[in-house]
């Protein structure tokens, strides 16, 4: 072939290639333009048909050049909201979401086929509330009427790519939270099938996992190679092959996860076989990284975790959890210690059926280590939590200083020679007085403890303990502590105890020393107490519990003193701490006397003198009753601060579409009188504040016995008058209390009572337009609600209201009578020296017949009124001059809108039943 022909052929090839390239280039630009409307329309149609959540984006573009050579539709600034109950919160946001489109489907098919998805700079925020309702249920799982109809968009994905994204999963029902930052993902799968395999590779720069507020993995790097089978119809995932690498630790993860209507079904198996012990520590939280860099670690470890079953929070159904951990031939040496830990062996199997602590079993077949010739050997088996079966064996002869240095325990300096030998086997059941058969000793010599939280150590720690129980009962249990002592801040503390027969505790205790509670607390915690707590003891206690209970004080030998200063005492019955500011107890047999004992509770202050009895029995048992008698003087007492502050757990029937109320009704709670108190008090308080009442010069005799408070000859000043009262009070629950009282109040200003006493306003609302002087002698019983307010339908009682020089102005009932009888003088009556007797029951106040006279008229009134203001009264208006002739009237309606009729016919006022619980 000649050179000219070769040149001609090359020119033609170049020409055709150029034309072909130009056509392809033109198609790359024109195809997106030609098919853009079809693609956009199909995307909108698919979103409306398939998604139940709101989808928004700022712009849509179609191009071959974003992910060349794929034709991609890109949604910019995408926002996809969640499903109910999170419809107004973002589920997925992304800078760009691109869909790769099969070009052939644009030309030869009615459907647009998507075979690639690209997600970049996205934030996926998964939320599940406490009821198990999630925000990811956005897909409409409707079945097509014709299964062969292929008009829907196809999702056979040849590529799924997620770049530089963030995932947050927050599940309040399981209390699981995890964050994944720097998430990159590459996968493929035929999402158009009901069941498809998803092949994935994933990397996470930082993974955080938190369970019940406790971090388990923090800032961990993850590499994963996964094969997951997905069933779209049932929304289930089957993890067939999943190799994870958490930092340097290799983990095999298999299992299944199904979404149920109200929860999950799961079957997970996570294991790591024959891993290097050091690699395990690389998966630990970040605070261990510094420790690991200075520590030589050897040994093999295996881990197996399984989680299997349903999790349905609303039905209290939970899966079974099993965790097995083994460490063989472990070696740990921190910072090149001269005494490393060797022969570290661990074999523990833990089972938690239904995640129920009462069913937990922990089988520790081996927990042992050596430091040169020193050793620690232990094995134990525990079944159950409330009444556990225990089988354990513990032996140790070890130098604690060598152990802490070899392990590199941070912020702790510990010394001392620990020798222990304990064997135990049996059930611990406090209710049935069972204690495991136990025999052993624990001795610590030359102990020393120092932490970073306090500059000075606890020194000279000596503990010699023996425990013996051969029959497995409380009666046979013997514990001896001879001695226990330590020195802190140069002051020695010494304790010696000999305890036996825990059914009828026989005790011999000696305690002597001074202890600064604030400073000793700082040794163990960075946060100090708010109090400068100080305890000084010099005590000898010897006797039997039964003798203390029966009053056989001659058989006891209890002597000594106990000095307390600024000590806070918390109780389940009180919302605040009771603070002992200053007090010296003198102990003689069963009596603990105190003089000028100063205390505070919230805003209240107390000065007490008296004695307590049965203190030891009260402090060491749940059944012991504290007896005593003392006087209390106070400048100010705020009774409201003693209320239990218990929230009410209200529940209401809701339909499926209803959402729970944002806030539940809360009540302060009634005052709880502990049932194990038998105390007599003589009280004197200058000021007492209770439920918006300001009492002054309060005095009285109070007794507390078996949860009941009785007040006798109690008096106080209220609104300028003397009030005398006897009363009984007892809490039924934290939100309910019963009471009864007799009250006498002489010559009080009715106008001031209406303005200052809320209960008076509610029970005598007619007094709003009255002024003058009245007296009261009344007996009443009933119930208080959770705000210490009377439940009006429960009130039952009666008494006399004595009226003295009372003027009534503008009362609507008398205005109505005046209008009906055309008597102007009746509008504003002046009343003097009238006794009004009433009875209260079932929300109805019955007014006995009473007469009075003013301006020549002689009215007579009787009938009933309800505590919510309804009237049903009969009235006779005696006319001047002597009232021989009169007009019969009936008054009905309400106090705000009375209805007056001439005549004798009345209607019965219905009783309002007591429905409040």
């Amino acid at each position: 072939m000649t050179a000219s022909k070769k040149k001609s052929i090359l020119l033609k090839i170049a020409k055709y290639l150029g034309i072909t390239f130009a056509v392809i280039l033109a198609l790359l630009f024109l195809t997106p333009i030609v098919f853009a409307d079809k693609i956009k329309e199909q995307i909108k149609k698919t979103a409306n048909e398939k998604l139940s959540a709101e989808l928004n984006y700022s712009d849509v573009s179609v191009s071959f050049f974003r992910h060349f050579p794929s034709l991609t539709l890109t949604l910019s600034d995408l926002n996809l909201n969640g499903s109910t109950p999170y419809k107004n919160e973002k589920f997925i946001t992304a800078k760009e979401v691109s869909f790769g489109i099969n070009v052939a489907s644009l030309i030869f098919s009615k459907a647009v086929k998507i075979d690639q998805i690209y997600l970049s700079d996205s934030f996926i925020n998964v939320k599940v509330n406490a009821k198990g309702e999630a925000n990811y249920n956005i897909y409409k799982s409707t079945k097509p009427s014709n299964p062969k109809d292929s008009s829907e968009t196809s999702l056979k994905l040849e590529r799924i790519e997620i770049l530089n994204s963030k995932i947050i999963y927050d599940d309040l029902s399981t209390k699981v939270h995890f964050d994944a930052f720097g998430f990159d993902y590459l996968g493929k799968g035929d999402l158009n099938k009901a069941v498809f395999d998803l092949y994935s590779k994933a990397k996470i720069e930082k993974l955080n996992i938190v369970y019940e507020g406790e971090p388990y993995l923090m800032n961990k790097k993850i590499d994963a190679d996964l094969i997951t089978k997905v069933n779209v119809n049932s929304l289930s995932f089957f993890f067939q092959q999943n190799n994870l690498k958490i930092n340097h630790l290799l983990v095999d993860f298999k299992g299944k996860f199904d979404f149920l209507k109200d929860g999950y079904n799961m079957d997970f198996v996570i294991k790591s076989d024959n891993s290097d012990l050091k690699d395990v520590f690389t998966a630990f939280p970040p605070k261990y990284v510094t420790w690991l860099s200075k520590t030589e670690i050897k040994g093999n470890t295996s881990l197996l975790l399984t989680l299997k079953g349903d999790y349905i929070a609303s039905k209290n159904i939970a899966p079974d959890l099993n965790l097995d951990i083994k460490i063989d031939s472990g070696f740990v040496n921190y910072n090149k210690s001269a005494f490393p830990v060797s022969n570290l062996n661990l074999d523990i199997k833990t089972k938690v059926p239904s995640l129920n602590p009462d069913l937990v079993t922990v089988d520790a077949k081996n927990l042992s280590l050596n430091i040169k010739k020193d050793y620690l050997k232990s094995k134990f088996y525990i079944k159950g939590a409330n009444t556990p079966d225990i089988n354990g064996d513990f032996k140790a002869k070890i130098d604690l200083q060598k152990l802490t240095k070899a392990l590199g325990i941070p912020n702790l300096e510990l010394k001392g020679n620990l020798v222990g030998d304990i064997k135990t086997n049996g059930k611990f059941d406090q209710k049935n007085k069972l204690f495991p058969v136990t025999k052993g000793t624990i001795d610590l010599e030359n102990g020393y403890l120092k932490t970073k939280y306090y500059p000075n150590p606890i020194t000279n720690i000596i503990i010699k303990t023996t425990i013996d129980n051969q029959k497995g009962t409380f009666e046979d249990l013997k514990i001896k502590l001879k001695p226990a002592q330590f020195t802190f801040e140069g002051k020695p503390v010494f304790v010696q105890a000999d305890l036996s027969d825990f059914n009828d505790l026989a005790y011999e205790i000696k305690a002597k020393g001074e202890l600064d509670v604030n400073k000793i607390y700082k040794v163990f915690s960075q946060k100090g107490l708010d109090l400068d707590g100080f305890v000084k003891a010099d005590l000898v206690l010897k006797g039997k519990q039964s003798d203390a209970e029966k009053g056989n004080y001659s058989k006891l030998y209890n002597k000594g003193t106990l000095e307390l200063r600024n000590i806070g005492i918390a109780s389940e019955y009180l919302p605040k701490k009771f603070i002992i500011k200053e007090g010296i107890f003198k102990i003689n047999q069963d009596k603990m006397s105190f003089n000028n004992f100063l205390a505070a509770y919230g805003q209240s202050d107390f000065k007490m003198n008296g004695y307590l009895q049965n203190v030891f029995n009260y402090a060491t048992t749940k059944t012991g009753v504290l007896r005593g008698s003392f006087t209390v003087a106070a400048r100010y007492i705020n009774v409201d601060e003693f209320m239990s502050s218990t929230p009410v757990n209200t529940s209401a029937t809701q339909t499926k579409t209803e959402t729970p109320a944002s806030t539940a009704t809360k009540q302060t709670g009634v005052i709880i009188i502990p049932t194990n108190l038998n105390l007599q008090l003589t009280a004197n308080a200058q000021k007492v504040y209770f439920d918006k009442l300001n009492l002054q010069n309060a005095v009285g005799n109070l007794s507390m016995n078996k949860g009941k408070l009785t007040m006798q000859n109690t008096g106080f000043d209220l609104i300028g008058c003397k009030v005398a009262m006897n009363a009984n009070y007892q809490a039924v629950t934290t939100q309910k209390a019963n009471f009864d009282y007799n009250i006498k109040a002489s010559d009080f200003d009715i106008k001031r009572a209406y303005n200052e006493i809320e209960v008076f306003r509610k029970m005598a609302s007619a007094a709003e337009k009255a002024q003058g002087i009245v007296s009261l002698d009344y007996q009443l019983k009933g119930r208080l609600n959770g705000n210490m307010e009377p439940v009006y339908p429960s009130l039952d009682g009666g008494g006399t209201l004595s009226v003295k020089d009372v003027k009534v102005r503008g009362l609507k009932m008398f205005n109505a009578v005046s209008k009906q009888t055309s008597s102007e003088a009746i509008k504003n009556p002046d009343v003097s020296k009238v006794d009004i007797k009433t009875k209260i029951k079932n929300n109805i106040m019955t007014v006995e017949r009473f007469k009075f006279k003013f301006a020549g008229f002689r009215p007579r009134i009787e009938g009933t009124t309800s505590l919510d203001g309804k009237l049903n009264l009969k009235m006779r208006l005696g006319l001047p001059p002597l009232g021989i002739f009169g007009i019969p009237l009936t008054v009905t309606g309400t106090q705000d809108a009375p209805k007056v009729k001439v005549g004798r016919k009345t209607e019965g006022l219905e009783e309002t039943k007591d429905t409040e619980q």
Side-chain angles (χ1 to χ4, degrees), residues 190-459:
D190 191 350
L191 276 64
N192 200 44
K193 292 182 179 179
V195 180
F196 63 89
D197 289 335
L198 187 64
Y199 299 87
S200 312
K201 289 187 176 182
K203 289 186 178 182
I204 301 174
E205 286 299 318
K206 290 182 181 180
L207 174 67
N208 304 323
I209 297 180
V210 178
Y211 177 64
E212 290 191 338
E214 291 293 327
Y216 283 81
L217 293 178
M218 298 297 292
N219 298 329
K220 297 304 169 189
K221 187 174 183 179
I222 306 295
D223 287 326
D225 194 353
L226 317 170
I227 299 176
T228 306
K229 186 180 288 295
V230 182
N231 187 323
V232 176
N233 291 335
S234 63
L235 197 55
S236 65
F237 300 87
F238 181 62
F239 304 96
Q240 294 173 290
Q241 177 185 326
N242 298 275
N243 298 317
L244 302 178
K245 189 176 182 182
I246 306 174
N247 283 6
H248 297 292
L249 178 65
L250 293 174
V251 178
D252 182 43
F253 171 49
K254 293 181 180 179
K256 186 177 70 171
F257 189 87
D258 293 333
F259 288 91
L260 306 177
K261 181 180 179 181
D262 49 2
Y264 316 103
N265 174 268
M266 54 190 79
D267 186 356
F268 292 147
V269 178
I270 302 173
K271 65 179 180 179
S272 178
D273 288 331
N274 295 319
S275 299
D276 191 295
L277 183 58
K278 186 169 186 176
D279 291 343
V280 174
F281 279 92
T282 66
F284 276 34
K287 63 182 180 181
Y288 294 100
V289 174
T290 304
W291 175 86
L292 188 61
S293 66
K294 297 181 179 180
T295 306
E296 181 183 0
I297 298 179
K298 299 176 185 177
N300 297 320
T301 182
S302 296
L303 179 146
L304 175 64
L305 184 147
T306 64
L307 189 63
K308 184 175 184 178
D310 292 343
Y311 189 98
I312 304 174
S314 60
K315 298 179 181 179
N316 292 323
I317 297 175
D320 299 333
L321 172 68
N322 295 329
L323 176 62
D324 299 347
I325 301 175
K326 286 185 179 181
I327 297 176
D328 294 321
S329 303
F331 177 92
V332 181
N333 189 1
Y334 176 77
N335 206 22
K336 298 180 180 180
S337 169
F339 302 98
V341 170
S342 60
N343 298 322
L344 173 62
N345 294 286
L346 179 68
D347 187 354
I348 298 180
K349 296 181 182 294
T350 303
K351 296 181 179 180
V352 191
S354 301
L355 296 179
N356 185 348
D358 292 336
L359 303 177
V360 66
T361 60
V362 180
D363 187 3
K365 295 181 179 179
N366 185 14
L367 172 57
S368 60
L369 59 85
N370 288 101
I371 301 179
K372 298 296 183 180
K373 293 182 179 181
D374 287 357
Y375 63 88
L376 185 153
K377 295 180 181 179
S378 176
K379 61 180 180 180
F380 58 88
Y381 177 87
I382 300 174
K383 183 178 181 180
N386 289 328
T387 58
D389 285 307
I390 304 171
N391 188 348
D393 189 352
F394 172 84
K395 290 183 175 66
K397 180 182 178 299
I398 200 159
D399 187 322
L400 296 179
Q401 184 177 19
K402 293 178 181 177
L403 180 65
T404 55
K405 285 190 174 182
L407 295 179
I409 299 175
N411 307 319
L412 179 65
E413 190 175 349
L414 189 61
K415 299 178 185 178
N417 297 311
L418 177 67
V419 177
D421 187 352
I422 294 180
K423 289 185 178 181
T424 181
N425 186 13
K427 181 182 285 290
F428 177 80
D429 186 343
Q430 189 172 8
K431 181 179 179 181
N432 294 307
K433 307 297 184 181
L434 299 177
F435 193 92
V437 173
T438 305
K439 188 174 183 62
T441 61
I442 295 179
D443 294 340
L444 175 64
E445 295 280 355
N446 302 318
Y448 176 101
L449 173 66
K450 185 178 182 300
T451 70
K452 72 171 185 177
Y453 307 116
Y454 192 75
N456 299 325
I458 301 172
T459 62

Side-chain angles (χ1 to χ4, degrees), residues 550-620:
K550 295 175 183 178
N552 298 327
Y553 304 135
S554 61
K555 295 182 179 181
L556 304 178
Y557 185 82
N558 299 324
K559 299 285 183 182
T561 60
L562 180 67
E563 182 179 349
L564 306 177
R565 188 166 65 240
N566 293 334
I567 298 293
I569 300 175
S571 167
E572 60 180 312
Y573 301 105
L574 299 173
K576 295 178 180 289
K577 280 187 177 181
F578 189 86
I579 300 170
I580 300 173
K581 291 183 176 180
E582 182 180 315
I584 298 177
F585 292 100
K586 292 184 178 180
I587 298 169
N588 184 15
Q589 299 299 71
D590 194 50
K591 182 177 287 188
M592 180 182 287
S593 304
F594 50 95
N595 297 311
N596 294 331
F597 195 88
L598 303 180
Y601 180 85
Q603 299 176 358
S604 308
D605 65 272
F606 306 93
K607 182 178 180 180
M608 296 181 287
N609 293 278
Y611 70 90
L612 297 171
Q613 280 185 302
N614 202 34
V615 177
F616 185 80
N617 186 36
Y618 171 77
T620 56

Side-chain angles (χ1 to χ4, degrees), residues 691-692 753-755 757-768 785 787-792 795 840 843 845 865-870 895:
D691 194 25
K692 302 177 183 178
Y754 184 88
N755 291 334
I757 304 175
E758 184 176 358
V759 174
F760 188 83
R761 283 199 298 273
K762 290 182 178 180
M763 295 185 63
S765 57
E768 180 183 8
N785 64 18
N787 285 323
M788 290 293 287
E789 298 168 338
V791 178
Y792 290 104
L795 299 181
I840 294 176
N843 213 41
M845 178 181 287
T865 69
S866 69
L867 295 184
D868 57 3
K870 294 179 182 178
Q895 292 173 357

Side-chain angles (χ1 to χ4, degrees), residues 512-529:
K512 188 173 184 178
E514 298 180 25
L515 188 62
D516 191 316
V517 177
N518 178 267
K519 292 180 179 178
I520 197 74
Y521 182 80
K522 285 181 179 179
V523 171
F524 300 98
S525 174
Q526 197 168 8
K527 297 179 180 179
L529 289 171

Side-chain angles (χ1 to χ4, degrees), residues 778 837-841 844-848 863-865:
Y778 222 83
K837 295 182 179 181
T838 61
K839 295 180 181 179
I840 294 176
K841 191 169 186 178
I844 301 298
M845 178 181 287
T846 301
V847 182
E848 296 183 12
T864 59
T865 69

Side-chain angles (χ1 to χ4, degrees), residues 689-710:
Y689 180 82
F690 169 57
D691 194 25
K692 302 177 183 178
L693 295 177
N694 289 298
L695 313 180
Q696 294 184 344
N697 302 320
V699 295
N701 298 309
L702 290 80
S703 67
M704 287 182 279
N705 190 16
K706 297 180 180 179
K708 185 176 183 178
L709 173 66
T710 301

